[in-house]
Amino acid sequence: MSTRSIYLDHAATTPVKPEVLEAMLPWFTENFGNPSTVYSIGRTSKKAIEEARETVARIIGAEPREIFFTGSGTEADNWAIKGAAYANMKKGKHIITTSIEHHAVLHTCQYLESEGFEVTYLPVDEYGLVSPEQVEAAIRPDTILISVMFANNEIGTIQPIAEIGKIAREKGICFHTDAVQAMGSIRVNVSDLNVDMLSMSAHKFYGPKGVGALYIRKGVKLTSFMHGGAQERGRRASTENVPGIVGLAKALELADKNMDEHNKKLIALRDRTIAEIEEKIPYVRLNGHREKRLPGNVNFSFEFIEGESLLLMLDLKGIAASSGSACTSGSLDPSHVLLAIGLPHERAHGSLRLTFGDGNTDEDVDCLMEVLPGIVERLREMSPLYEEVRSRKKD
């Protein structure tokens, strides 16, 4: 096997593309002016921000004044949910979301529960899908916000956002989608999706870390999340991260331009990996929907092993991946997403997420499949449960 490093965790973060870095560099050094100042070097920075705003708006079918830059996707989610909740609390205090949201949404909703709001966490089916009918059935007279993620960060399942958005629009309820994993992989038009708010994060589509954006449809009531200055038309205080904003827009522009070719490649790598794992390794389960799935996402549960051990052994072979288990974040609890789709604790702990990106090749899949079956078998040999199953099979 090759000794080179193989990165298969693009859902966690992506490398900054050279063209993106090149676009960003002048804004660190030559054009470093504060956009809020009136002199020319500041006006140059302000112009760069507005051009970036126009680029993002054009790509998602919005108006530039509906795009607000943030410090991350997490901030965008927090702002959308808290902002809509507080702005509409006189109408009601009921929020609808799903049980498989990113923690940026779940923890925000849990915080709002401590503030007196009531949250309905919709269950999902075995593929991680929530149906528009479920959402409609959960709506109450006091429902003020619906938040459903576009695509799941763990299992890659893509939700029926346009259909859910249509229901929300008909009922006059504000609708937010966390599109952090979807942006750059799925074409987004906010009008077609019927969304009122949409969150994104640059580092998921080959842009820099520490910058995101929130689309807020014109007319949507939202309280400010950051206070202290008049930036972002008085709605999000803080001196703007000009290099980051320029980088986000450039990365999104490249993703939009290359999406068809990019996705064709990732789907081929994804489907080959799924087929080979199912063919070569017994006692596995593909997590997530087979068709309604992000192009580069592979997520399997392996019976009789711990995901953390699998990750460490892959790392020793130069392969970077992640687990469906939260072990590596310091928690012994299995993934809430895998539990929500019906996996028992022990199977949820034995999960592996592989997410492909621009730099991956068929050779990477060759290298992965050269070592993965052996690692899984070696770990299973340490399990008394596996030995018991093998004994029964021999009998």
Side-chain angles (χ1 to χ4, degrees):
M1 175 188 163
S2 168
T3 55
R4 66 193 178 89
S5 295
I6 298 173
Y7 184 72
L8 298 177
D9 201 19
H10 291 82
T13 196
T14 57
V16 174
K17 281 186 176 292
E19 305 97 310
V20 173
L21 180 60
E22 186 181 352
M24 292 172 64
L25 284 175
W27 304 97
F28 285 109
T29 52
E30 303 156 38
N31 305 319
F32 59 85
N34 188 315
S36 296
T37 55
V38 296
Y39 41 76
S40 61
I41 192 171
R43 294 198 306 272
T44 301
S45 294
K46 184 70 172 174
K47 184 170 182 286
I49 291 171
E50 296 314 312
E51 287 175 354
R53 201 184 310 278
E54 288 171 11
T55 297
V56 175
R58 172 179 53 79
I59 289 169
I60 69 170
E63 295 179 24
R65 62 178 171 166
E66 297 175 313
I67 305 300
F68 296 84
F69 294 111
T70 65
S72 63
T74 293
E75 184 195 320
D77 285 340
N78 270 259
W79 184 11
I81 294 167
K82 291 176 183 172
Y86 291 134
N88 294 284
M89 62 192 298
K90 288 182 180 176
K91 292 183 188 176
K93 286 193 167 187
H94 181 236
I95 298 166
I96 298 170
T97 189
T98 80
S99 56
I100 63 165
E101 298 295 309
H102 189 277
H103 284 128
V105 170
L106 289 180
H107 288 174
T108 302
C109 287
Q110 288 160 9
Y111 168 77
L112 287 172
E113 286 182 292
S114 73
E115 293 279 294
F117 289 85
E118 190 176 343
V119 182
T120 296
Y121 299 93
L122 295 173
V124 294
D125 67 15
E126 62 182 305
Y127 306 112
L129 279 170
V130 65
S131 71
E133 292 76 18
Q134 278 178 278
V135 175
E136 188 166 20
I139 292 172
R140 307 184 329 200
D142 61 339
T143 303
I144 55 170
L145 174 66
I146 299 168
S147 182
V148 177
M149 71 192 325
F150 202 136
N152 188 264
N153 51 301
E154 288 191 37
I155 59 175
T157 297
I158 299 168
Q159 302 293 346
I161 294 300
E163 293 87 342
I164 295 170
K166 185 171 182 289
I167 291 166
R169 187 66 51 86
E170 288 169 355
K171 302 283 187 181
I173 299 167
C174 191
F175 179 44
H176 164 253
T177 187
D178 172 357
V180 167
Q181 284 294 333
M183 290 301 296
S185 294
I186 302 171
R187 294 206 184 278
V188 168
N189 181 289
V190 291
S191 296
D192 293 345
L193 292 172
N194 302 304
V195 295
D196 296 304
M197 298 180 288
L198 179 145
S199 306
M200 67 181 80
S201 183
H203 79 104
K204 302 293 189 179
F205 47 84
Y206 303 91
K209 296 172 182 64
V211 62
L214 179 64
Y215 157 75
I216 307 172
R217 186 174 61 81
K218 182 177 60 180
V220 169
K221 287 176 63 181
L222 208 68
T223 60
S224 295
F225 185 64
M226 300 275 280
H227 301 90
Q231 291 88 355
E232 293 300 277
R233 298 187 298 292
R235 299 184 80 172
R236 197 270 183 185
S238 181
T239 299
E240 299 92 338
N241 174 6
V242 183
I245 289 168
V246 168
L248 181 150
K250 182 66 175 179
L252 191 58
E253 189 173 44
L254 289 170
D256 184 63
K257 179 183 174 184
N258 302 322
M259 192 175 296
D260 293 340
E261 183 183 346
H262 175 73
N263 284 353
K264 184 179 177 183
K265 172 187 171 180
L266 295 198
I267 289 168
L269 293 171
R270 177 197 73 188
D271 290 352
R272 181 190 159 196
T273 304
I274 289 172
E276 292 203 21
I277 287 176
E278 290 182 325
E279 178 192 344
K280 296 176 180 177
I281 305 175
Y283 306 110
V284 298
R285 178 193 194 272
L286 178 67
N287 298 317
H289 200 283
R290 282 189 186 269
E291 287 83 39
K292 298 171 185 175
R293 187 182 199 95
L294 287 171
N297 178 286
V298 175
N299 188 306
F300 273 97
S301 289
F302 299 85
E303 284 193 70
F304 316 114
I305 65 170
E306 283 282 341
E308 188 173 26
S309 301
L310 183 56
L311 287 188
L312 292 171
M313 293 186 76
L314 283 171
D315 187 44
L316 289 172
K317 298 291 186 180
I319 299 171
S322 68
S323 175
S325 164
C327 298
T328 49
S329 64
S331 169
L332 294 175
D333 294 330
S335 156
H336 69 284
V337 175
L338 298 181
L339 293 179
I341 63 173
L343 267 66
H345 276 63
E346 63 274 11
R347 291 191 74 175
H349 267 303
S351 296
L352 175 70
R353 183 186 70 179
L354 305 163
T355 43
F356 293 94
D358 268 1
N360 294 128
T361 63
D362 273 311
E363 187 186 350
D364 293 338
V365 180
D366 292 339
C367 293
L368 172 71
M369 295 313 301
E370 188 180 321
V371 301
L372 184 60
I375 290 173
V376 171
E377 185 62 25
R378 184 178 164 193
L379 290 171
R380 282 176 173 170
E381 285 172 355
M382 302 176 192
S383 166
L385 289 173
Y386 183 54
E387 186 57 41
E388 194 179 307
V389 167
R390 281 204 302 186
S391 298
R392 283 205 307 265
K393 201 171 180 183
K394 286 174 188 173
D395 295 341

